[in-house]
Amino acid sequence: MRSSYFVAALVLLKRVASQQIYDIWATTWDRSDLFTYFQPTPDPIDFVTPGAIGSADIVIDDSSVYQTVYGFGATLTDSSAGLLNNLKAQNSGSYWQLMDYLFNATDGANAAGFSYIRVPLGASDFSTDAYSYDDTSGDTSLSDFDIGAAPSDVFSVLTDILSINNMLRVHVVPWSPPAWMKSGDTMDGGDLDSQYVSTMADYLLKSLQGFQSKGIPVYAIGNEPENSNPTYPTCSMPVATEAQIGTALRTLMDNNGFSSTKIIGYEHNWSDAANYPVQLMQQAESAFAGVSFHCYEGSVSEQADFTSQYPDKEVYFTECTGTIGSDWWSDIKAIVFRFFIGSISYGSSAGLMWNLALDGNGQPTLPGTNSCTSPGCRGVVQINSDGSWSVNQEFYAMAQASKAILPRDVGGPWGQRIGVSVGGSLDWALVVGAYVTGRVSSTDWDRYSIVVLNWDDSASTTFNPVPVEATIEFRGMQATYTFPVGVTTLWWYAEPN
């Protein structure tokens, strides 16, 4: 019996010892690497018998498995869609090169593999005019509903994205109901008139059917109930109103072929996480699959005010914007820490920025809006009038995170967050997210990934970026890697736990 245990131990040791880090992506503070792929040279990095820990010690706990992460992306506003479609008309080759770089999710592709897109239902602050899908006053039967009121650019670009990435999840959100359903008879600010609760639910169902008619499957539908601005389409809704709409819409969706489409509530800032979304679940928990958050007030840790009370509900991070002229490396640090490691660590199943694409001045915006005024909002992509494009810091932050969770196999599962902690004398220097991605075949090893932000740049005193030599502890074995100041994503494979 003792020899059997010894043989089993040798087999386990051999399997663990054969784990190696082959694949690395890096984006560094000085831009010497920009979402750059490489393999360690001259040899892969082995997991070996543990020795002394590094200045930072990353401990992976793959016995603790949390939420599935469905991807990263941004919002395809009317402005973003128009700029992209103009680029396509002006320089088709450049357009398809950009789209592939953004959305190709094929394993190992030199691309970000963005897989989650949010789309306004009707006008937003990034549209040419304020419109809904039914602007006929008093049309409670919605006989004049027309999904074609949206610019054709929106559906054209969505179709192109789906041709590259058929795993794309589309999350639709109305900024405002039609003006005639609201107090003040305007799309800009105000409240929904309570007599139109059921009509609004019908309107949202027709929106889903409209997207379906365009060949665009919708993964989730949401709402922005706590933003009322008189200069662009917005609408306030008390909790009871959103709960009533959600309950009515859930029934309509279940009865009309959309039972798998999720309703995601709240869609507002972290600062109110303990109140509005909690009350929404108390009133209509069965209608809503979860809630989503924005970054503009509060801190990411406040997501826990919701998840601690409703741990089985899904959470999504769906909006924050960059600002034109801000510091590139400071932005990378903040974006990764707060959103693409931080929000995921607090339970989010997706991470999105605001506009997918804008020009170099943060345009075009809705005429007269006070949203994103000077210095202007920055898109994930900048599209220039000469037919050229460039990607901004938001792209690199999301691309690094995206590589950790994309399916390894065609039709395979998405990555799941797993346990991770950081020790050592420089434990503060590294912020880490860890993930496991399962396989289609039970005989194939799972892929393990970590996304590591090294922000040890001594920026509070004299700028002095310091690489951090770290050990990585996994299943009783240890690997060593020196992380440059920046964001690094590592892969290795191991038998399923």
Side-chain angles (χ1 to χ4, degrees):
M1 179 66 72
R2 185 173 299 172
S3 63
S4 297
Y5 284 131
F6 179 70
V7 170
L10 284 178
V11 171
L12 178 62
L13 180 61
K14 180 179 179 182
R15 287 172 175 171
V16 175
S18 64
Q19 293 158 13
Q20 298 175 314
I21 297 171
Y22 277 96
D23 301 292
I24 302 174
W25 283 263
T27 296
T28 52
W29 72 275
D30 60 358
R31 310 190 210 187
S32 58
D33 285 314
L34 289 170
F35 188 46
T36 302
Y37 172 76
F38 58 92
Q39 294 182 325
T41 55
D43 300 304
I45 300 167
D46 292 320
F47 282 87
V48 299
T49 302
I53 67 170
S55 299
D57 187 44
I58 301 168
V59 180
I60 310 297
D61 175 14
D62 66 329
S63 66
S64 298
V65 182
Y66 304 100
Q67 82 277 13
T68 298
V69 183
Y70 294 116
F72 300 87
T75 302
L76 184 69
T77 58
D78 292 351
S79 295
S80 295
L83 287 168
L84 287 165
N85 228 25
N86 288 343
L87 175 62
K88 183 179 181 180
Q90 186 176 10
N91 189 336
S92 178
S94 182
Y95 169 80
W96 285 109
Q97 181 186 31
L98 169 61
M99 298 299 272
D100 187 81
Y101 193 44
L102 294 174
F103 296 107
N104 187 343
T106 305
D107 180 64
N110 181 30
F114 294 155
S115 299
Y116 206 108
I117 286 288
R118 182 166 162 257
V119 183
L121 296 177
S124 73
D125 38 334
F126 284 84
S127 298
T128 57
D129 62 288
Y131 70 92
S132 76
Y133 298 146
D134 189 345
D135 288 325
T136 301
S137 182
D139 183 23
T140 56
S141 65
L142 301 176
S143 56
D144 288 338
F145 182 96
D146 181 14
I147 197 71
S152 60
D153 298 335
V154 172
F155 299 109
S156 173
V157 172
L158 283 172
T159 300
D160 288 346
I161 296 172
L162 284 164
S163 74
I164 296 169
N165 183 352
N166 63 8
M167 298 182 292
L168 183 75
R169 282 172 165 80
V170 177
H171 185 148
V172 297
V173 180
W175 263 237
S176 172
W180 53 269
M181 293 188 195
K182 297 171 64 182
S183 58
D185 196 33
T186 176
M187 290 189 68
D188 298 341
D191 308 288
L192 179 73
D193 190 324
S194 60
Q195 68 176 307
Y196 294 118
V197 165
S198 62
T199 308
M200 186 59 188
D202 291 336
Y203 178 87
L204 295 175
L205 174 66
K206 281 187 171 289
S207 299
L208 295 176
Q209 293 169 331
F211 270 67
Q212 185 181 59
S213 73
K214 297 290 187 178
I216 310 299
V218 174
Y219 170 75
I221 185 168
N223 190 39
E224 289 201 6
E226 287 199 306
N227 185 19
S228 178
N229 185 307
T231 71
Y232 66 95
T234 47
C235 182
S236 291
M237 287 186 189
V239 174
T241 301
E242 178 159 321
Q244 290 167 6
I245 293 173
T247 300
L249 179 60
R250 182 72 272 164
T251 300
L252 288 171
M253 289 165 60
D254 291 346
N255 292 339
N256 287 275
F258 294 96
S259 59
S260 63
T261 301
K262 302 181 180 186
I263 303 178
I264 304 299
Y266 183 54
E267 187 94 11
H268 202 57
N269 291 321
W270 288 321
S271 57
D272 203 24
N275 299 304
Y276 195 112
V278 171
Q279 295 165 24
L280 185 63
M281 294 301 127
Q282 290 170 345
Q283 296 185 30
E285 181 177 356
S286 62
F288 292 88
V291 299
S292 58
F293 291 99
H294 296 175
C295 75
Y296 304 111
E297 293 179 4
S299 64
V300 63
S301 62
E302 290 176 277
Q303 281 185 200
D305 293 341
F306 174 79
T307 57
S308 62
Q309 298 187 62
Y310 290 92
D312 295 330
K313 289 296 181 181
E314 296 177 355
V315 171
Y316 296 82
F317 177 79
T318 53
E319 187 184 310
C320 201
T321 188
T323 302
I324 290 174
S326 57
D327 180 70
W328 190 90
W329 168 234
S330 296
D331 287 343
I332 291 279
K333 287 189 291 183
I335 291 167
V336 174
F337 172 71
R338 296 174 72 202
F339 314 147
F340 305 128
I341 293 178
S343 184
I344 304 301
S345 296
Y346 281 100
S348 290
S349 287
L352 282 69
M353 296 302 293
W354 184 196
N355 284 274
L356 177 63
L358 292 172
D359 69 15
N361 296 311
Q363 295 290 325
T365 57
L366 181 74
T369 183
N370 66 7
S371 173
C372 285
T373 53
S374 180
C377 290
R378 182 176 56 237
V380 175
V381 177
Q382 177 176 315
I383 296 180
N384 305 310
S385 59
D386 63 0
S388 62
W389 55 265
S390 59
V391 294
N392 291 316
Q393 45 265 57
E394 292 79 12
F395 168 86
Y396 295 108
M398 285 195 291
Q400 292 284 156
S402 179
K403 276 300 182 188
I405 55 85
L406 291 172
R408 171 61 178 81
D409 305 312
V410 175
W414 293 77
Q416 291 178 280
R417 181 172 67 91
I418 57 176
V420 63
S421 60
V422 183
S425 60
L426 291 180
D427 57 350
W428 57 268
L430 302 185
V431 181
V432 183
Y435 311 91
V436 59
T437 304
R439 306 299 299 277
V440 169
S441 172
S442 60
T443 61
D444 289 334
W445 284 14
D446 290 346
R447 185 184 68 208
Y448 286 84
S449 309
I450 56 174
V451 181
V452 180
L453 168 65
N454 175 5
W455 57 0
D456 184 7
D457 57 14
S458 303
S460 62
T461 54
T462 302
F463 189 74
N464 181 33
V466 178
V468 173
E469 184 179 46
T471 41
I472 304 167
E473 316 290 345
F474 180 73
R475 296 186 185 175
M477 302 296 284
Q478 185 184 81
T480 302
Y481 187 73
T482 299
F483 290 94
V485 173
V487 189
T488 304
T489 305
L490 305 179
W491 278 358
W492 70 92
Y493 291 84
E495 285 188 307
N497 185 3

